């Protein structure tokens, strides 16, 4: 008896492949085959090469449900101690983000809470529910930044927790070292010494331990200058690590052009991005990651230059920016909907922004589309058309998730 050629065959699905020329890469009454953790066949069900039961060990009908690639959250600060709900209240009483940061709140507050976590186990226990919420919302790949430790031991704990979250949930967790996130209190009057510590001690040690997939920085007036950022980028380059950057969130310091100069994966936030930064990103292939959760929470009014990004064909990604201070957002699908409403993206642009373009922002080219050879990360939704994923505000729409071809509980 002939062995089936595929492990699993999903039938009677509406496939949003994000490949090909059709809007959303849509295939009605589609079928998709999974084999050895990869997508082995995609197309119309009536074009299958044989009877379904002869093709796959397991055959499942999805009754017309929408299927997309697994979602990719390409910018989170998911591992942290404590919360900053009190700062939310302060902002609503008139304090600005800069006011709070300069008074010892903001990032510094989360640094204190993260350092105070008694153990790696405690930090993991605090972070796990956030990762589970993203998974339940369809996220199969996410990026997690450090940057709330700001000393070697605390940064190491954060990155180790990020790796453990990926292992225990079965998702892909990419790590970004964000040593240049804020100036720790013990270095308040020694900026240069801290930047040297990050470049010469912390980053090489953590990279040697296999804990760093990329290097990030906060290039901003209340963060770090272009020159300081360049120093950590040079060190990353020496270590063979890709770079990305928090850029042009509160002002235009030329951070986007700087990260593009280094062939950076992404520039993120970008509300104050100017023409020179856009052209540099376009030339370098650097992805623009927009973060509507932070825009919303901070009640910003300066919109990112979406029309100019479109004109220059800069890929646009969307992420939650899940963090305790400025974007306590635990739904990537809601972030996509917010990008439509607040930034005027189309639903197709927003959904490409949480699949194929978000994967590109992490340097991952084996996911984000439903195509032969791609990693078999996919989501079946309680929806019939792609726009519903941006249309519904909240609610649980996930029907089933497969990661690496295996069904996972949510």
């Amino acid at each position: 008896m002939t062995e089936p050629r595929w492990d699993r065959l999903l039938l009677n699905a509406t496939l949003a492949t994000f490949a090909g020329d059709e809007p959303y890469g849509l295939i009605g009454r589609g079928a998709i085959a999974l084999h050895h953790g990869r997508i082995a066949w995609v197309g119309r069900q009536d074009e299958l090469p044989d009877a379904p039961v002869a093709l796959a060990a397991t055959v499942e009908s999805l009754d017309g449900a929408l299927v997309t690639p697994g979602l990719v959250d390409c910018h989170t600060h998911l591992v942290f101690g404590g919360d900053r709900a009190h700062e939310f209240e302060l902002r609503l009483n008139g304090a600005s983000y800069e006011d709070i940061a300069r008074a010892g709140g903001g990032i510094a507050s989360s640094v204190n809470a993260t350092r105070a976590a008694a153990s790696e186990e405690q930090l993991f226990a605090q972070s796990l529910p956030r990762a589970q919420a993203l998974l339940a919302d369809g996220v199969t790949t996410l990026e997690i930044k450090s940057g709330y430790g700001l000393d070697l031991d605390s940064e190491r704990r954060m990155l180790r927790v990020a790796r453990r979250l990926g292992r225990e949930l079965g998702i892909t967790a990419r790590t970004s070292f964000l040593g240049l996130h804020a100036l720790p209190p013990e270095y308040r009057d020694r900026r240069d010494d801290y930047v040297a510590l990050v470049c010469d001690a912390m980053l090489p040690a953590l990279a040697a331990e296999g804990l760093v997939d990329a290097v990030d920085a906060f290039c901003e007036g209340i963060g770090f200058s272009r020159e300081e950022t360049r120093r950590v980028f040079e060190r990353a380059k020496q270590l063979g690590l890709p770079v990305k950057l928090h850029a042009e969130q509160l002002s235009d310091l030329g951070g986007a052009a700087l990260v593009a100069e280094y062939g950076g994966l992404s520039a993120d936030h970008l509300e104050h991005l100017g023409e020179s930064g856009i052209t540099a990103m376009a030339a370098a292939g650097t992805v623009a990651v927009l973060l509507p959760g932070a825009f919303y929470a901070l009640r910003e009014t300066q919109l990112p230059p979406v029309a100019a990004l479109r004109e220059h064909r800069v890929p646009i990604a969307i992420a939650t920016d899940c963090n305790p201070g400025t974007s306590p957002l635990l739904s990537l699908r809601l972030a996509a909907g917010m990008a439509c409403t607040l930034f005027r993206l189309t639903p197709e642009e927003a959904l490409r922004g949480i699949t194929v373009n978000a994967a590109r922002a992490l340097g991952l080219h084996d996911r984000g589309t439903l195509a032969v050879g791609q990693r078999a990360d996919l989501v079946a939704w309680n929806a019939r058309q792609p726009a519903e994923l941006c249309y519904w505000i909240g609610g649980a729409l996930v029907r089933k998730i497969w990661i690496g071809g295996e069904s996972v509980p949510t």
Side-chain angles (χ1 to χ4, degrees):
M1 187 171 179
T2 304
E3 287 289 324
R5 68 173 75 177
W6 301 320
D7 297 329
R8 186 181 303 273
L9 179 60
L10 306 176
L11 302 175
N12 194 18
T14 300
L15 304 177
T17 69
F18 298 103
D21 298 326
E22 293 297 315
Y24 302 102
L26 208 62
I27 299 175
R29 194 164 171 75
I32 183 166
L34 315 180
H35 190 62
H36 290 172
R38 297 281 167 179
I39 296 173
W41 194 92
V42 182
R44 288 182 52 82
Q45 186 171 321
D46 58 15
E47 296 173 349
L48 282 165
D50 203 342
V53 292
L55 291 169
T58 301
V59 179
E60 181 178 354
S61 173
L62 296 181
D63 304 317
L66 176 70
V67 175
T68 70
L71 305 187
V72 179
D73 196 348
C74 62
H75 181 131
T76 85
H77 303 255
L78 185 139
V79 174
F80 57 84
D83 64 57
R84 279 156 48 198
H86 65 291
E87 292 182 12
F88 172 69
E89 189 168 11
L90 287 173
R91 286 198 303 274
L92 290 175
N93 280 291
S96 72
Y97 179 53
E98 292 92 334
D99 292 338
I100 292 169
R102 295 189 189 283
I107 296 167
S109 174
S110 290
V111 170
N112 291 335
T114 301
R115 288 179 174 182
S119 66
E120 188 174 304
E121 188 67 34
Q122 185 181 24
L123 194 57
F124 175 81
Q126 291 184 52
S127 304
L128 179 61
R130 297 187 281 267
Q132 289 172 323
L134 290 174
L135 172 61
D137 195 49
V139 171
T140 58
T141 298
L142 76 159
E143 183 249 25
I144 302 175
K145 303 179 190 295
S146 68
Y148 291 133
L150 306 185
D151 60 45
L152 180 57
D153 288 343
S154 300
E155 292 286 294
R156 178 184 286 118
R157 278 196 300 154
M158 292 187 69
L159 294 168
R160 285 173 56 87
V161 166
R163 290 280 194 240
R164 182 179 170 190
L165 288 169
R167 289 194 305 273
E168 298 208 8
L169 292 179
I171 60 179
T172 299
R174 302 289 285 183
T175 58
S176 293
F177 172 64
L178 183 55
L180 293 192
H181 196 196
L183 198 63
E186 64 269 26
Y187 282 89
R188 184 173 290 112
D189 301 316
R190 297 185 292 144
R191 290 185 66 89
D192 193 66
D193 289 346
Y194 179 68
V195 175
L197 176 72
V198 167
C199 296
D200 300 335
M202 293 170 66
L203 176 54
L206 296 170
E209 294 172 28
L211 294 174
V212 181
D213 295 319
V215 175
D216 199 348
F218 182 35
C219 185
E220 193 53 76
I222 60 171
F224 293 87
S225 69
R226 276 174 53 94
E227 293 71 25
E228 291 164 336
T229 301
R230 183 181 291 278
R231 286 172 62 184
V232 77
F233 280 5
E234 282 293 328
R235 195 69 177 104
K237 182 179 178 181
Q238 292 168 7
L239 294 168
L241 293 168
V243 297
K244 52 178 53 189
L245 189 64
H246 289 63
E248 275 73 274
Q249 179 185 10
L250 305 173
S251 60
D252 188 352
L253 295 186
L258 176 64
V259 73
E261 179 185 332
Y262 284 84
L265 294 173
S266 69
D268 303 27
H269 284 290
L270 303 178
E271 284 89 337
H272 293 265
L273 177 64
E275 186 73 16
S276 61
I278 294 171
T279 56
M281 290 174 66
T286 299
V287 177
V289 178
L290 306 185
L291 304 171
F295 181 91
Y296 169 85
L298 293 173
R299 294 184 295 171
E300 295 288 353
T301 57
Q302 177 70 39
L303 291 166
V306 170
L309 291 169
R310 287 179 182 136
E311 179 184 351
H312 289 273
R313 299 189 177 185
V314 176
I316 297 173
I318 307 298
T320 62
D321 191 20
C322 174
N323 76 72
T326 62
S327 188
L329 178 57
L330 293 174
S331 168
L332 184 55
R333 190 177 59 77
L334 179 55
M338 293 169 74
C340 294
T341 302
L342 299 175
F343 297 160
R344 309 297 190 266
L345 267 65
T346 67
E348 182 171 8
E349 287 175 323
L351 294 177
R352 287 186 181 275
I354 59 174
T355 53
V356 59
N357 288 344
R360 182 173 173 178
L362 297 180
L364 298 174
H365 301 284
D366 66 342
R367 67 199 70 197
T369 63
L370 300 182
V372 172
Q374 290 274 283
R375 181 177 162 86
D377 293 352
L378 53 155
V379 182
W381 302 90
N382 291 314
R384 299 284 170 165
Q385 55 183 315
E388 289 185 58
L389 303 186
C390 298
Y391 164 75
W392 291 108
I393 302 172
L397 294 187
V398 168
R399 174 172 170 174
K400 199 166 186 178
I401 297 175
W402 295 266
I403 299 179
E406 298 296 325
S407 177
V408 298
T410 59

